[in-house]
Amino acid sequence: MTKSTAPRRSRRSLLRAAVLPVAVAGSLVLAPLPSALAAPSADVVISEVYGGGGNSGATLKNDFIELANKGGAAFGLAGYSVQYLPGAPSAGSKWGVTALTGSVAPGGRYLIAAAAGTGGTVALPTPDATGTLTLSGTSGTIALVQGTDPLTCKTAADCAADPRIKDLVGFGTAVVREGSGPVTGASNTASVARTSGLPDTDDNAADLKAGVPTPVNSAGEAPEGGDTPTGPVEPGSVRIHDIQGSTRLSPKTGKTIAGIPGIVTGVRTYGSKGFWIQDPTPDADPATSEGLFVYTGSTPTVAVGDSVLVTGKVAEYYPAYSAGGQSITQLTAPAVTVLSAGNAVPAPFVLDCDSIPAAYAPDAAGGSIEGRTLAPADYALDRYESLEGMNVRVEDVRVVQATDQYSELWVQARKQDLASSRGGAIYLGYDKPNSGRVMVQSLLPLTERPFPTANVGDQLAGITDGPLDYNRFGGYTLAATTLGAVQDNGLQREVTDRALPSEVAIATYNVENLDPSDPDEKFAELAKGVVTNLRSPDIIVLEEIQDNNGAVNDGTVDASSTIAKFTAAIAAAGGPAYDWRSIAPENNKDGGEPGGNIRNVFLFNPDRVTFTDTPGGTATDAVDVTGTGKWASLTASPGRIDPGNEAWGSSRKPLVGEFKFHNKKIFVIANHFNSKGGDQGLDSRFQQPARSSEEQRTKQAAVEQAFVAKLLAADPNARVVSVGDFNDYQFSPALATLTKDGVLRDLVNSLPASERYSYVFQGNSQVLDHSLVSPALKHVEYDVVHINSEFASQASDHDPQIVRIKP
């Protein structure tokens, strides 16, 4: 399974001529000024301009322009540009242009690198756009422009009348500026930047001030080593809780704060490098966190227990923005002074059933919850956010998602949450998200202590504590400085019951992008699952079989080599000599990895069942039903169900085939509905989260339901088995549509609630794979065979399942 909000732009008000009373010959006359104040911008502004890069005395090598977005949605920059005009333009002066791409996240920054000088020692962080504009260090005008054609205006009034200009900053003695005058103070060592809160009254002198350059890119990165040469020498008046505030967004965003005191509670030397600090003297407000991440960009030189003063620029960084993820409030471009070492770190906040509310998140009718005052006693997401960056602890907790390849696992800190039969956290409804799930990573070097390998149901015994972070894939994360030990619960891979001679066994298995380049070990492990754990079913529906060269995007669609290698592995494991049927998709029309051409495939044991071959099935031709009663059959076998329907755009089309077992006809449908890509996560800043992909799956379900209904209209006693990876839950609109009018029943609902899962994601054991049968099939045994999803060692990320039927 794979897991953006559209840019929202607010139209910039044009500058309008204002008038002030002027005394003329003893009377008052209204005289126009060249420019005037306008309504503040609601989203993107030019937040900082620096033209001294590489000049004498400069630390930074490059000039730069920084944008910031104070709006609530991403601001798309496609088609926009930043443009530069000298401070005192001549008749021959022209605007220089740098085109922009991408977008600015809400609360985020966007960095444009301009020309480099010959001096300086510090490089900019990786810019989001790069141009060749050579700015003056002391005077000039920068404009954010909708379009890439050079501006032609050269006066404040003419530029105020140009609707293409989104924002404009004049500095030094610039003729073209907003308001009564340009912002002063720019030099080889000073930039001009908006003050706290990113004000935009369209008066440059009022909105911006000169200060130390603090460039930050969209990733929240600042120059390595910072660009403040010395650290603070005394505490300032602002504390961490003042920076964090009582909502998800800092009231100090964009402001450089001096002398923030704290104790270092954790140091991260990989990925987003930096360290956490915490104030040991908290305020009385439970909504304001006392912890904060300091982004350094390079390996930090501080240690846990150091008492420090930090000067830095406050930023909101969205590590998982596209899925609606939360932001991390952090300091960038830091200057650090270590006052002392070996101090005790603040006592951790204990995450447990008493401190984590059962309710997961406030409901904002799909809107953002970022501006809401946190209610940590009422909602789990608010509790976690109120502890962002703080030292937290879990103790003797159950593992609810196994250790993965990135050395991380999930635990259940709230023991009252719903438990699966094997120790996971069972997900049984959109209103039951299991509020106690927390990811655990480690700040300890792997050479010092390897990350523990754990399966679902194991216990992370003892104490695990460290700063509370937010993961780039979504989810609050305990970055452990102390790790508990794994207590093995002895979880075993399941083996299904053997089918009776009178039963036909039909299985479904998502084999996770299988192609011949995968290691032999993967083929062998999948084959072992088929032979040992599934007991060699008579029919196997496979999902995610890739073409013969996998994700090489060269037009290959044939998958015969992939299937041959898999069936050979099954035979080598002691299984039968499976035959197979499938229909190759059109190149790159069925989703998945580009060039991979994943498809559904039928494997079958010809010693047990017979496949009815009816020619005519192609990638684009739709299968239909012909005949009535016991003569009802498919017009093509194998065939694809309505492949031209828009519901299947960039998604797998269902494959249907006609089989015979003991001379009884069985229609089997192989499914792989579209993925959840683009959906907002359970922990989204938008609540309730939008499940945009759900609409397409519901349409797909309607198409298949109509086909099954037509087949049952031809023969009410038709034996239909529809299986596969439906990428949706048993309580979803898609499954409700698929089972409408009783044409199919979802067998997962026949299991005890604690056993309804085939996949584990973000600590939730959930259903994505289904087996459904038509009303004529009464004698059915059904089993989800748990051999992958709960284990650190997996052949696939899905568990297979099997249906045993007496026709």
Side-chain angles (χ1 to χ4, degrees), residues 43-68:
D43 41 49
V44 169
V45 293
I46 299 167
S47 54
E48 190 171 0
V49 177
Y50 176 59
N55 293 353
S56 175
T59 299
L60 292 172
K61 298 178 181 180
N62 287 71
D63 301 342
F64 71 85
I65 302 154
E66 182 193 272
L67 308 180

Side-chain angles (χ1 to χ4, degrees), residues 137-139 171-173 182-192 209-211:
T138 57
S139 181
F171 60 97
T173 57
V183 54
T184 58
S187 69
N188 289 352
T189 58
S191 66
V192 293
K209 301 296 180 186

Side-chain angles (χ1 to χ4, degrees), residues 264-400:
V264 176
T265 58
V267 178
R268 185 161 59 204
T269 59
Y270 59 88
S272 181
K273 297 177 182 177
F275 59 94
W276 287 267
I277 57 174
Q278 185 167 333
D279 194 329
T281 56
D283 67 1
D285 188 349
T288 56
S289 171
E290 302 295 340
L292 190 62
F293 184 67
V294 181
Y295 174 80
T296 58
S298 56
T299 300
T301 56
V302 298
V304 172
D306 284 352
S307 175
V308 297
L309 296 176
V310 183
T311 294
K313 187 175 184 176
V314 180
E316 293 289 344
Y317 171 50
Y318 290 81
Y321 175 77
S322 62
Q326 310 280 343
S327 65
I328 296 170
T329 303
Q330 61 181 20
L331 293 177
T332 61
V336 182
T337 300
V338 177
L339 302 177
S340 63
N343 299 280
V345 300
F349 183 98
V350 179
L351 295 172
D352 59 15
C353 53
D354 294 325
S355 63
I356 303 173
Y360 192 63
D363 191 343
S368 173
I369 59 174
E370 288 185 305
R372 292 191 171 206
T373 300
L374 298 173
D378 298 332
Y379 304 107
L381 278 188
D382 285 10
R383 168 63 75 199
Y384 297 136
E385 179 62 24
S386 74
L387 300 170
E388 179 193 83
M390 288 179 61
N391 202 19
V392 299
R393 171 176 292 176
V394 294
E395 195 167 351
D396 295 331
V397 285
R398 194 174 75 249
V399 175
V400 291

Side-chain angles (χ1 to χ4, degrees), residues 465-480:
D465 58 21
L468 189 65
D469 194 23
Y470 187 81
N471 188 272
R472 64 183 293 250
F473 297 109
Y476 285 92
T477 303
L478 196 164

Side-chain angles (χ1 to χ4, degrees), residues 654-738:
L655 184 72
V656 58
E658 188 176 317
F659 293 84
K660 283 188 177 179
F661 175 73
H662 292 181
N663 209 33
K664 303 293 185 180
K665 192 181 297 185
I666 303 172
F667 300 95
V668 181
I669 305 175
N671 300 275
H672 188 188
F673 281 16
N674 74 296
S675 78
K676 290 184 175 292
D679 286 7
Q680 293 168 351
L682 289 176
D683 58 356
S684 171
R685 62 186 180 275
F686 302 102
Q687 290 292 335
Q688 295 291 326
R691 300 181 293 271
S692 56
S693 68
E694 192 174 79
E695 181 180 352
Q696 186 178 0
R697 284 191 299 279
T698 302
K699 290 179 179 178
Q700 293 174 341
V703 173
E704 182 165 324
Q705 191 271 351
F707 177 83
V708 175
K710 186 173 185 178
L711 182 54
L712 294 181
D715 179 10
N717 295 314
R719 304 171 191 87
V720 183
V721 180
S722 180
V723 298
D725 176 4
F726 290 84
N727 263 320
D728 224 333
Y729 314 116
Q730 70 274 28
F731 46 81
S732 67
L735 269 297
T737 300
L738 191 59

